[in-house]
Every structure is written in structure tokens, then in C-alpha cells.
Amino acid sequence: MKKLIAILSLALLPLTGFAAGGNVALESADIDPTDHASLQRGAKYFVNYCQGCHSLQYFRYERMQDFGLSKEQIEKNLIFGDFKIGEQMKTSMPALDATEWFGVAPPDLTLTARLRRGGADWIYTYLKGFYADESRPFGVNNVIFPNVGMPHVLIELQGVQEAAIETDAHGNKHVTGLKLVKPGRMSEQEFDQMALDITNFMTHVAEPNKLERQRLGIWVMLFLLVFFVVAIMLKKEFWKDVH
């Protein structure tokens, strides 16, 4: 029961506090699912900055061969701990400890690009949307996920942003803009590219066979078109004697 209450509480977080989450325009993530270099960088960033808390339990390490990595590269650079290349990309953080530290275990992110409205655009905007907020436990908030319950793990790379906030007639606070007040180790352009790479990787993880599905879909549509023509000709041939 306690676990259920914690999950429901996390789900309701976006409905409290700032009202900006559903009204903020998403930034366009101009990702390229055929860009293997971007996908490889995104995998590297995810493993180093995200997988400590979040898992990709419906995606196996070996599937990273789909975008040009060898088994040796995956095992040497992207697998830590006792995990094997044929296993799912799970986090090593114990769920009970995570619940104690954060109130609820960090969610699995495999299907985020498919579950969130806006997909890749939502992920991209989220990664860039952290700003300083001393009222929050980790000192940060997020422009599209108000009262987010996690720290900004990329803050050393992006730097610190401050939000311009307006209050409407109903007392709801809205984030109207973000301003970088303390630069990080990356330039703005470098961090934007990093966010795009992570977004590209997470979008691929959510549907690894998307490009193959689209390729086969073209052939299926061509087959149906040819079959439709043949069916019309057969229909005319069969019914000509009836009339």
C-alpha cells in the first residue's frame, strides 16, 4: 500500500505547484535516427549520467550493435558492474534504497519517447529545462515537469539557469523564460548537441525497429496497391458474364 501511495504521489506532482508544465512550448529536437555517431554518443552519455538511477529494462546492451558498436566496444566502455552484454540495461541502484532516498524509485525510461506527449521534443526540452529553485529538495525545478523529484545531473556541464516567472490572475506561476547565469563546462551549443544525442538514443531505445518497420511498410503498401488493381480486374472478369 505504501508503494502504491508513493507512485500515485509521484504521478500527481505535475498537477501541483507551478502550472507551467502543460503550457510550455516544446523545443524541436531535430534528431536523425540514422546518425550512428549521435546514437553512440547518446548511449555513452546515458550510461555515464543517467543509468546510475534509471534503467532501460526493455532494451539489451547487445542491441547497441544496431548503430555500429561492436561487442568489444560495448563490453569495454558501456557495461559496468557484473552485467553481461545479453542482459537488459538495468540500474545497479537497489529499489529499496532509491525509495528511501527519493521517496519513490526512479522510473524505467525505455518507453519515455513513446509515452510522453511530444516524444523526442519532450525529452529534449526536459533535458534543457532545469533551473535553480531553492524551494525544491535538490535545489532545481524543471520547466515542463514542475516539482520534479530528481537533481539536475548535468548541471556541471550545462551550468545554472534562472527562470523568469509570472503569476496569473488565478495565482498560478508560469515560467516564461530561462537564462544561463552560471556557465558549465560545455558551451551552449555543445550542451544542446549533448541533449540531442541523448534524445536520439532514448528515441531509438523506445522503438529499435522503427526504421525497419517503416521500410517494410513501404513494401506492404506497394503490395496492397498491386493487389488492389489485380482484385479490381478479377472482379470485372468474374462479373462480366453475370450482366
Side-chain angles (χ1 to χ4, degrees), residues 152-212:
H152 182 17
V153 296
L154 304 177
I155 192 169
E156 291 186 359
L157 304 178
Q158 182 186 27
V160 179
Q161 296 188 119
E162 286 186 353
I165 299 174
E166 294 182 355
T167 304
D168 61 23
H170 303 286
N172 297 318
K173 296 180 179 180
H174 301 270
V175 177
T176 58
L178 298 175
K179 179 181 179 181
L180 186 67
V181 294
K182 182 180 179 181
R185 298 207 313 262
M186 288 184 169
S187 67
E188 184 176 353
Q189 293 74 21
E190 289 173 334
F191 186 81
D192 286 352
Q193 185 59 56
M194 179 184 186
L196 282 173
D197 292 337
I198 296 175
T199 301
N200 202 11
F201 173 68
M202 291 184 63
T203 304
H204 173 86
V205 164
E207 193 176 358
N209 293 322
K210 182 177 181 179
L211 294 179
E212 179 67 11

Short mmCIF file of all heavy atoms in Angstrom, two decimals, residues 152-212:
data_model
loop_
_atom_site.label_atom_id
_atom_site.label_comp_id
_atom_site.label_asym_id
_atom_site.label_seq_id
_atom_site.Cartn_x
_atom_site.Cartn_y
_atom_site.Cartn_z
N HIS A 152 19.55 17.82 -10.93
CA HIS A 152 19.98 18.10 -12.30
C HIS A 152 21.36 17.49 -12.46
O HIS A 152 22.38 18.13 -12.17
CB HIS A 152 20.00 19.61 -12.53
CG HIS A 152 20.38 20.00 -13.93
ND1 HIS A 152 20.34 19.12 -15.00
CD2 HIS A 152 20.82 21.19 -14.44
CE1 HIS A 152 20.72 19.73 -16.09
NE2 HIS A 152 21.02 20.98 -15.79
N VAL A 153 21.42 16.26 -12.98
CA VAL A 153 22.69 15.53 -13.03
C VAL A 153 23.66 16.11 -14.06
O VAL A 153 24.85 15.80 -14.03
CB VAL A 153 22.45 14.03 -13.31
CG1 VAL A 153 21.67 13.40 -12.18
CG2 VAL A 153 21.73 13.84 -14.65
N LEU A 154 23.17 16.95 -14.95
CA LEU A 154 24.02 17.53 -15.98
C LEU A 154 24.40 18.98 -15.67
O LEU A 154 24.88 19.70 -16.55
CB LEU A 154 23.31 17.47 -17.34
CG LEU A 154 22.86 16.09 -17.81
CD1 LEU A 154 22.11 16.20 -19.14
CD2 LEU A 154 24.05 15.15 -17.95
N ILE A 155 24.19 19.40 -14.43
CA ILE A 155 24.38 20.81 -14.10
C ILE A 155 25.83 21.25 -14.27
O ILE A 155 26.09 22.40 -14.66
CB ILE A 155 23.90 21.08 -12.65
CG1 ILE A 155 23.80 22.58 -12.41
CG2 ILE A 155 24.79 20.40 -11.62
CD1 ILE A 155 23.08 22.95 -11.13
N GLU A 156 26.79 20.36 -14.02
CA GLU A 156 28.19 20.75 -14.20
C GLU A 156 28.51 21.01 -15.67
O GLU A 156 29.42 21.77 -15.97
CB GLU A 156 29.11 19.66 -13.65
CG GLU A 156 29.08 19.53 -12.13
CD GLU A 156 30.11 18.55 -11.63
OE1 GLU A 156 30.83 17.96 -12.46
OE2 GLU A 156 30.21 18.37 -10.40
N LEU A 157 27.78 20.36 -16.55
CA LEU A 157 28.01 20.53 -17.98
C LEU A 157 27.23 21.72 -18.54
O LEU A 157 27.76 22.50 -19.33
CB LEU A 157 27.62 19.26 -18.72
CG LEU A 157 28.33 17.97 -18.26
CD1 LEU A 157 27.81 16.78 -19.05
CD2 LEU A 157 29.84 18.10 -18.41
N GLN A 158 25.97 21.85 -18.14
CA GLN A 158 25.13 22.93 -18.65
C GLN A 158 25.36 24.24 -17.92
O GLN A 158 25.37 25.31 -18.54
CB GLN A 158 23.65 22.56 -18.54
CG GLN A 158 22.72 23.63 -19.11
CD GLN A 158 21.25 23.31 -18.87
OE1 GLN A 158 20.92 22.63 -17.90
NE2 GLN A 158 20.38 23.78 -19.74
N GLY A 159 25.53 24.17 -16.61
CA GLY A 159 25.58 25.37 -15.79
C GLY A 159 24.25 25.59 -15.09
O GLY A 159 23.36 24.74 -15.12
N VAL A 160 24.12 26.75 -14.46
CA VAL A 160 22.92 27.07 -13.68
C VAL A 160 22.06 28.05 -14.45
O VAL A 160 22.54 29.08 -14.93
CB VAL A 160 23.30 27.67 -12.31
CG1 VAL A 160 22.04 28.03 -11.53
CG2 VAL A 160 24.16 26.69 -11.52
N GLN A 161 20.77 27.73 -14.56
CA GLN A 161 19.81 28.61 -15.22
C GLN A 161 18.85 29.20 -14.19
O GLN A 161 18.51 28.54 -13.20
CB GLN A 161 19.00 27.85 -16.27
CG GLN A 161 19.82 27.31 -17.43
CD GLN A 161 18.95 26.74 -18.53
OE1 GLN A 161 18.96 27.20 -19.66
NE2 GLN A 161 18.18 25.70 -18.20
N GLU A 162 18.43 30.42 -14.42
CA GLU A 162 17.39 31.04 -13.62
C GLU A 162 16.15 31.21 -14.48
O GLU A 162 16.25 31.43 -15.69
CB GLU A 162 17.84 32.40 -13.08
CG GLU A 162 18.84 32.31 -11.94
CD GLU A 162 19.15 33.67 -11.32
OE1 GLU A 162 18.68 34.69 -11.89
OE2 GLU A 162 19.86 33.71 -10.30
N ALA A 163 14.99 31.12 -13.83
CA ALA A 163 13.73 31.21 -14.55
C ALA A 163 13.07 32.56 -14.35
O ALA A 163 13.09 33.12 -13.25
CB ALA A 163 12.78 30.10 -14.10
N ALA A 164 12.49 33.09 -15.43
CA ALA A 164 11.62 34.26 -15.33
C ALA A 164 10.22 33.74 -15.09
O ALA A 164 9.69 32.95 -15.89
CB ALA A 164 11.68 35.07 -16.61
N ILE A 165 9.61 34.13 -13.97
CA ILE A 165 8.34 33.57 -13.55
C ILE A 165 7.30 34.67 -13.41
O ILE A 165 7.56 35.72 -12.82
CB ILE A 165 8.48 32.80 -12.22
CG1 ILE A 165 9.46 31.64 -12.38
CG2 ILE A 165 7.12 32.29 -11.74
CD1 ILE A 165 9.79 30.92 -11.10
N GLU A 166 6.12 34.43 -13.97
CA GLU A 166 5.00 35.36 -13.85
C GLU A 166 3.84 34.65 -13.15
O GLU A 166 3.67 33.44 -13.28
CB GLU A 166 4.54 35.86 -15.22
CG GLU A 166 5.58 36.71 -15.94
CD GLU A 166 5.07 37.22 -17.28
OE1 GLU A 166 3.95 36.81 -17.67
OE2 GLU A 166 5.79 38.00 -17.93
N THR A 167 3.05 35.42 -12.41
CA THR A 167 1.88 34.88 -11.72
C THR A 167 0.63 35.43 -12.37
O THR A 167 0.49 36.64 -12.54
CB THR A 167 1.91 35.28 -10.22
OG1 THR A 167 3.13 34.82 -9.63
CG2 THR A 167 0.73 34.64 -9.50
N ASP A 168 -0.29 34.52 -12.77
CA ASP A 168 -1.50 34.98 -13.44
C ASP A 168 -2.56 35.39 -12.42
O ASP A 168 -2.33 35.39 -11.21
CB ASP A 168 -2.04 33.89 -14.38
CG ASP A 168 -2.42 32.61 -13.64
OD1 ASP A 168 -2.69 32.66 -12.42
OD2 ASP A 168 -2.46 31.55 -14.30
N ALA A 169 -3.73 35.76 -12.92
CA ALA A 169 -4.80 36.27 -12.08
C ALA A 169 -5.31 35.23 -11.09
O ALA A 169 -5.93 35.57 -10.08
CB ALA A 169 -5.94 36.78 -12.95
N HIS A 170 -5.08 33.95 -11.38
CA HIS A 170 -5.55 32.88 -10.51
C HIS A 170 -4.49 32.44 -9.51
O HIS A 170 -4.69 31.48 -8.76
CB HIS A 170 -5.97 31.68 -11.35
CG HIS A 170 -7.04 31.99 -12.36
ND1 HIS A 170 -8.36 32.21 -12.02
CD2 HIS A 170 -6.97 32.16 -13.72
CE1 HIS A 170 -9.06 32.47 -13.11
NE2 HIS A 170 -8.25 32.45 -14.15
N GLY A 171 -3.35 33.10 -9.52
CA GLY A 171 -2.30 32.77 -8.58
C GLY A 171 -1.37 31.67 -9.04
O GLY A 171 -0.50 31.24 -8.29
N ASN A 172 -1.55 31.21 -10.28
CA ASN A 172 -0.67 30.17 -10.82
C ASN A 172 0.61 30.79 -11.37
O ASN A 172 0.56 31.83 -12.04
CB ASN A 172 -1.38 29.39 -11.92
CG ASN A 172 -2.59 28.64 -11.41
OD1 ASN A 172 -2.55 28.05 -10.34
ND2 ASN A 172 -3.68 28.69 -12.16
N LYS A 173 1.73 30.14 -11.09
CA LYS A 173 3.01 30.65 -11.56
C LYS A 173 3.39 29.99 -12.88
O LYS A 173 3.23 28.78 -13.05
CB LYS A 173 4.09 30.40 -10.51
CG LYS A 173 3.86 31.15 -9.20
CD LYS A 173 4.96 30.85 -8.20
CE LYS A 173 4.73 31.62 -6.90
NZ LYS A 173 5.79 31.35 -5.90
N HIS A 174 3.89 30.81 -13.80
CA HIS A 174 4.26 30.32 -15.13
C HIS A 174 5.69 30.73 -15.45
O HIS A 174 6.06 31.89 -15.28
CB HIS A 174 3.32 30.87 -16.20
CG HIS A 174 1.89 30.51 -15.99
ND1 HIS A 174 1.33 29.37 -16.51
CD2 HIS A 174 0.90 31.13 -15.30
CE1 HIS A 174 0.05 29.30 -16.17
NE2 HIS A 174 -0.23 30.37 -15.43
N VAL A 175 6.48 29.76 -15.90
CA VAL A 175 7.84 30.05 -16.35
C VAL A 175 7.77 30.61 -17.76
O VAL A 175 7.25 29.97 -18.67
CB VAL A 175 8.71 28.79 -16.33
CG1 VAL A 175 10.10 29.09 -16.87
CG2 VAL A 175 8.81 28.23 -14.91
N THR A 176 8.28 31.82 -17.93
CA THR A 176 8.20 32.47 -19.24
C THR A 176 9.54 32.46 -19.98
O THR A 176 9.59 32.83 -21.15
CB THR A 176 7.73 33.93 -19.08
OG1 THR A 176 8.64 34.63 -18.21
CG2 THR A 176 6.33 33.96 -18.48
N GLY A 177 10.61 32.06 -19.31
CA GLY A 177 11.90 32.01 -19.97
C GLY A 177 12.99 31.54 -19.03
O GLY A 177 12.83 31.56 -17.81
N LEU A 178 14.11 31.11 -19.59
CA LEU A 178 15.26 30.67 -18.82
C LEU A 178 16.49 31.45 -19.24
O LEU A 178 16.66 31.77 -20.42
CB LEU A 178 15.51 29.16 -19.03
CG LEU A 178 14.40 28.20 -18.59
CD1 LEU A 178 14.76 26.77 -18.98
CD2 LEU A 178 14.14 28.30 -17.10
N LYS A 179 17.35 31.74 -18.27
CA LYS A 179 18.57 32.49 -18.55
C LYS A 179 19.74 31.81 -17.85
O LYS A 179 19.69 31.52 -16.66
CB LYS A 179 18.44 33.93 -18.06
CG LYS A 179 19.69 34.78 -18.31
CD LYS A 179 19.50 36.19 -17.76
CE LYS A 179 20.74 37.03 -17.98
NZ LYS A 179 20.57 38.40 -17.43
N LEU A 180 20.81 31.54 -18.60
CA LEU A 180 22.01 30.93 -18.04
C LEU A 180 22.78 31.98 -17.24
O LEU A 180 23.22 32.99 -17.78
CB LEU A 180 22.89 30.36 -19.15
CG LEU A 180 24.12 29.57 -18.72
CD1 LEU A 180 23.71 28.28 -18.03
CD2 LEU A 180 25.01 29.26 -19.92
N VAL A 181 22.92 31.75 -15.92
CA VAL A 181 23.59 32.73 -15.06
C VAL A 181 24.95 32.24 -14.59
O VAL A 181 25.76 33.04 -14.10
CB VAL A 181 22.70 33.06 -13.84
CG1 VAL A 181 21.44 33.78 -14.29
CG2 VAL A 181 22.37 31.82 -13.03
N LYS A 182 25.20 30.95 -14.71
CA LYS A 182 26.50 30.39 -14.33
C LYS A 182 26.87 29.32 -15.34
O LYS A 182 26.34 28.23 -15.31
CB LYS A 182 26.45 29.80 -12.91
CG LYS A 182 27.79 29.26 -12.44
CD LYS A 182 27.69 28.69 -11.03
CE LYS A 182 29.03 28.13 -10.56
NZ LYS A 182 28.93 27.54 -9.20
N PRO A 183 27.78 29.60 -16.26
CA PRO A 183 28.13 28.65 -17.31
C PRO A 183 28.71 27.35 -16.75
O PRO A 183 29.34 27.34 -15.69
CB PRO A 183 29.17 29.40 -18.15
CG PRO A 183 28.97 30.84 -17.82
CD PRO A 183 28.52 30.87 -16.40
N GLY A 184 28.48 26.27 -17.48
CA GLY A 184 29.05 24.99 -17.11
C GLY A 184 30.30 24.70 -17.93
O GLY A 184 30.86 25.59 -18.57
N ARG A 185 30.73 23.45 -17.92
CA ARG A 185 31.94 23.07 -18.64
C ARG A 185 31.73 23.07 -20.15
O ARG A 185 32.69 23.17 -20.91
CB ARG A 185 32.41 21.69 -18.19
CG ARG A 185 32.77 21.60 -16.72
CD ARG A 185 33.80 20.52 -16.45
NE ARG A 185 33.48 19.26 -17.08
CZ ARG A 185 32.90 18.24 -16.47
NH1 ARG A 185 32.55 18.34 -15.19
NH2 ARG A 185 32.67 17.11 -17.10
N MET A 186 30.48 22.94 -20.60
CA MET A 186 30.17 22.95 -22.01
C MET A 186 29.63 24.30 -22.44
O MET A 186 28.98 25.00 -21.64
CB MET A 186 29.13 21.88 -22.35
CG MET A 186 29.62 20.45 -22.31
SD MET A 186 28.31 19.29 -22.84
CE MET A 186 29.26 17.79 -23.02
N SER A 187 29.86 24.65 -23.68
CA SER A 187 29.21 25.83 -24.24
C SER A 187 27.74 25.50 -24.48
O SER A 187 27.33 24.33 -24.43
CB SER A 187 29.88 26.25 -25.54
OG SER A 187 29.65 25.27 -26.55
N GLU A 188 26.95 26.53 -24.75
CA GLU A 188 25.53 26.30 -25.00
C GLU A 188 25.32 25.38 -26.20
O GLU A 188 24.46 24.50 -26.18
CB GLU A 188 24.82 27.63 -25.24
CG GLU A 188 23.32 27.50 -25.41
CD GLU A 188 22.62 28.83 -25.54
OE1 GLU A 188 23.29 29.88 -25.37
OE2 GLU A 188 21.40 28.84 -25.81
N GLN A 189 26.12 25.57 -27.24
CA GLN A 189 25.99 24.74 -28.44
C GLN A 189 26.40 23.30 -28.15
O GLN A 189 25.76 22.35 -28.63
CB GLN A 189 26.86 25.30 -29.57
CG GLN A 189 26.42 26.65 -30.12
CD GLN A 189 26.74 27.80 -29.17
OE1 GLN A 189 27.62 27.69 -28.30
NE2 GLN A 189 26.02 28.90 -29.34
N GLU A 190 27.44 23.11 -27.36
CA GLU A 190 27.88 21.76 -27.01
C GLU A 190 26.84 21.03 -26.18
O GLU A 190 26.58 19.84 -26.39
CB GLU A 190 29.21 21.81 -26.26
CG GLU A 190 30.40 22.21 -27.12
CD GLU A 190 31.66 22.43 -26.30
OE1 GLU A 190 31.55 22.77 -25.09
OE2 GLU A 190 32.77 22.29 -26.87
N PHE A 191 26.23 21.75 -25.23
CA PHE A 191 25.21 21.11 -24.40
C PHE A 191 23.96 20.79 -25.21
O PHE A 191 23.33 19.74 -25.01
CB PHE A 191 24.84 21.98 -23.20
CG PHE A 191 23.91 21.28 -22.25
CD1 PHE A 191 24.40 20.38 -21.31
CD2 PHE A 191 22.54 21.50 -22.30
CE1 PHE A 191 23.54 19.72 -20.44
CE2 PHE A 191 21.67 20.85 -21.44
CZ PHE A 191 22.18 19.95 -20.51
N ASP A 192 23.58 21.68 -26.12
CA ASP A 192 22.45 21.40 -27.00
C ASP A 192 22.67 20.11 -27.78
O ASP A 192 21.77 19.28 -27.93
CB ASP A 192 22.21 22.56 -27.96
CG ASP A 192 21.59 23.76 -27.28
OD1 ASP A 192 21.21 23.64 -26.09
OD2 ASP A 192 21.46 24.82 -27.93
N GLN A 193 23.90 19.93 -28.30
CA GLN A 193 24.21 18.73 -29.05
C GLN A 193 24.17 17.49 -28.15
O GLN A 193 23.69 16.43 -28.56
CB GLN A 193 25.59 18.85 -29.69
CG GLN A 193 25.96 17.67 -30.60
CD GLN A 193 24.99 17.50 -31.75
OE1 GLN A 193 24.75 18.43 -32.53
NE2 GLN A 193 24.40 16.31 -31.88
N MET A 194 24.64 17.63 -26.93
CA MET A 194 24.58 16.52 -25.99
C MET A 194 23.13 16.13 -25.71
O MET A 194 22.78 14.94 -25.70
CB MET A 194 25.26 16.91 -24.68
CG MET A 194 25.24 15.83 -23.62
SD MET A 194 25.96 16.38 -22.06
CE MET A 194 25.94 14.85 -21.14
N ALA A 195 22.27 17.14 -25.48
CA ALA A 195 20.86 16.86 -25.24
C ALA A 195 20.22 16.18 -26.45
O ALA A 195 19.40 15.27 -26.31
CB ALA A 195 20.12 18.16 -24.90
N LEU A 196 20.60 16.60 -27.65
CA LEU A 196 20.08 15.98 -28.86
C LEU A 196 20.55 14.52 -28.97
O LEU A 196 19.78 13.64 -29.37
CB LEU A 196 20.54 16.76 -30.09
CG LEU A 196 19.79 18.05 -30.41
CD1 LEU A 196 20.47 18.78 -31.56
CD2 LEU A 196 18.33 17.77 -30.75
N ASP A 197 21.81 14.26 -28.61
CA ASP A 197 22.34 12.90 -28.70
C ASP A 197 21.62 11.97 -27.72
O ASP A 197 21.26 10.85 -28.07
CB ASP A 197 23.84 12.91 -28.40
CG ASP A 197 24.66 13.61 -29.48
OD1 ASP A 197 24.16 13.70 -30.62
OD2 ASP A 197 25.78 14.06 -29.19
N ILE A 198 21.40 12.43 -26.49
CA ILE A 198 20.68 11.62 -25.51
C ILE A 198 19.25 11.39 -25.98
O ILE A 198 18.71 10.28 -25.88
CB ILE A 198 20.68 12.30 -24.12
CG1 ILE A 198 22.11 12.40 -23.58
CG2 ILE A 198 19.81 11.52 -23.14
CD1 ILE A 198 22.22 13.17 -22.27
N THR A 199 18.63 12.44 -26.52
CA THR A 199 17.26 12.32 -27.03
C THR A 199 17.20 11.33 -28.18
O THR A 199 16.28 10.50 -28.26
CB THR A 199 16.75 13.69 -27.50
OG1 THR A 199 16.79 14.61 -26.41
CG2 THR A 199 15.34 13.59 -28.03
N ASN A 200 18.17 11.39 -29.08
CA ASN A 200 18.21 10.47 -30.21
C ASN A 200 18.33 9.02 -29.72
O ASN A 200 17.62 8.13 -30.21
CB ASN A 200 19.40 10.82 -31.10
CG ASN A 200 19.24 10.30 -32.52
OD1 ASN A 200 18.19 9.84 -32.93
ND2 ASN A 200 20.32 10.36 -33.29
N PHE A 201 19.20 8.80 -28.74
CA PHE A 201 19.38 7.46 -28.20
C PHE A 201 18.12 6.96 -27.51
O PHE A 201 17.69 5.82 -27.74
CB PHE A 201 20.55 7.46 -27.20
CG PHE A 201 20.72 6.16 -26.46
CD1 PHE A 201 21.13 5.01 -27.11
CD2 PHE A 201 20.44 6.10 -25.10
CE1 PHE A 201 21.28 3.81 -26.42
CE2 PHE A 201 20.58 4.91 -24.40
CZ PHE A 201 21.00 3.76 -25.07
N MET A 202 17.49 7.80 -26.70
CA MET A 202 16.29 7.36 -25.98
C MET A 202 15.12 7.13 -26.93
O MET A 202 14.27 6.26 -26.68
CB MET A 202 15.92 8.39 -24.91
CG MET A 202 16.91 8.45 -23.75
SD MET A 202 16.40 9.60 -22.44
CE MET A 202 14.88 8.82 -21.89
N THR A 203 15.07 7.89 -28.02
CA THR A 203 14.03 7.66 -29.02
C THR A 203 14.26 6.34 -29.74
O THR A 203 13.31 5.59 -30.01
CB THR A 203 14.02 8.82 -30.04
OG1 THR A 203 13.83 10.07 -29.35
CG2 THR A 203 12.88 8.65 -31.05
N HIS A 204 15.51 6.02 -30.02
CA HIS A 204 15.84 4.73 -30.63
C HIS A 204 15.50 3.59 -29.69
O HIS A 204 14.91 2.57 -30.11
CB HIS A 204 17.33 4.69 -30.96
CG HIS A 204 17.80 3.35 -31.43
ND1 HIS A 204 17.71 2.94 -32.74
CD2 HIS A 204 18.35 2.30 -30.75
CE1 HIS A 204 18.19 1.70 -32.86
NE2 HIS A 204 18.58 1.30 -31.66
N VAL A 205 15.83 3.73 -28.41
CA VAL A 205 15.56 2.68 -27.43
C VAL A 205 14.07 2.38 -27.33
O VAL A 205 13.67 1.23 -27.17
CB VAL A 205 16.12 3.13 -26.05
CG1 VAL A 205 15.54 2.28 -24.92
CG2 VAL A 205 17.64 3.04 -26.05
N ALA A 206 13.24 3.41 -27.45
CA ALA A 206 11.80 3.23 -27.32
C ALA A 206 11.21 2.39 -28.45
O ALA A 206 10.18 1.74 -28.27
CB ALA A 206 11.10 4.59 -27.27
N GLU A 207 11.87 2.38 -29.60
CA GLU A 207 11.40 1.58 -30.74
C GLU A 207 12.58 1.26 -31.65
O GLU A 207 12.76 1.89 -32.69
CB GLU A 207 10.32 2.33 -31.51
CG GLU A 207 9.58 1.44 -32.50
CD GLU A 207 8.43 2.14 -33.19
OE1 GLU A 207 8.17 3.33 -32.89
OE2 GLU A 207 7.78 1.51 -34.04
N PRO A 208 13.40 0.28 -31.28
CA PRO A 208 14.62 -0.01 -32.04
C PRO A 208 14.38 -0.41 -33.48
O PRO A 208 15.25 -0.22 -34.33
CB PRO A 208 15.25 -1.17 -31.25
CG PRO A 208 14.65 -1.10 -29.89
CD PRO A 208 13.27 -0.57 -30.09
N ASN A 209 13.21 -0.98 -33.77
CA ASN A 209 12.93 -1.47 -35.12
C ASN A 209 12.12 -0.48 -35.96
O ASN A 209 11.54 -0.87 -36.98
CB ASN A 209 12.17 -2.80 -35.05
CG ASN A 209 13.02 -3.91 -34.46
OD1 ASN A 209 14.22 -3.98 -34.74
ND2 ASN A 209 12.41 -4.76 -33.66
N LYS A 210 12.09 0.78 -35.55
CA LYS A 210 11.26 1.76 -36.25
C LYS A 210 11.64 1.91 -37.71
O LYS A 210 10.77 1.89 -38.60
CB LYS A 210 11.36 3.11 -35.55
CG LYS A 210 10.48 4.19 -36.19
CD LYS A 210 10.55 5.49 -35.43
CE LYS A 210 9.66 6.55 -36.06
NZ LYS A 210 9.70 7.83 -35.30
N LEU A 211 12.93 2.04 -38.01
CA LEU A 211 13.36 2.22 -39.40
C LEU A 211 13.03 0.99 -40.24
O LEU A 211 12.61 1.11 -41.39
CB LEU A 211 14.86 2.52 -39.45
CG LEU A 211 15.30 3.85 -38.83
CD1 LEU A 211 16.81 3.99 -38.93
CD2 LEU A 211 14.61 5.03 -39.52
N GLU A 212 13.22 -0.20 -39.66
CA GLU A 212 12.89 -1.43 -40.38
C GLU A 212 11.39 -1.53 -40.61
O GLU A 212 10.94 -1.95 -41.68
CB GLU A 212 13.38 -2.64 -39.58
CG GLU A 212 13.09 -3.99 -40.21
CD GLU A 212 13.86 -4.24 -41.50
OE1 GLU A 212 14.77 -3.44 -41.80
OE2 GLU A 212 13.55 -5.22 -42.19
#
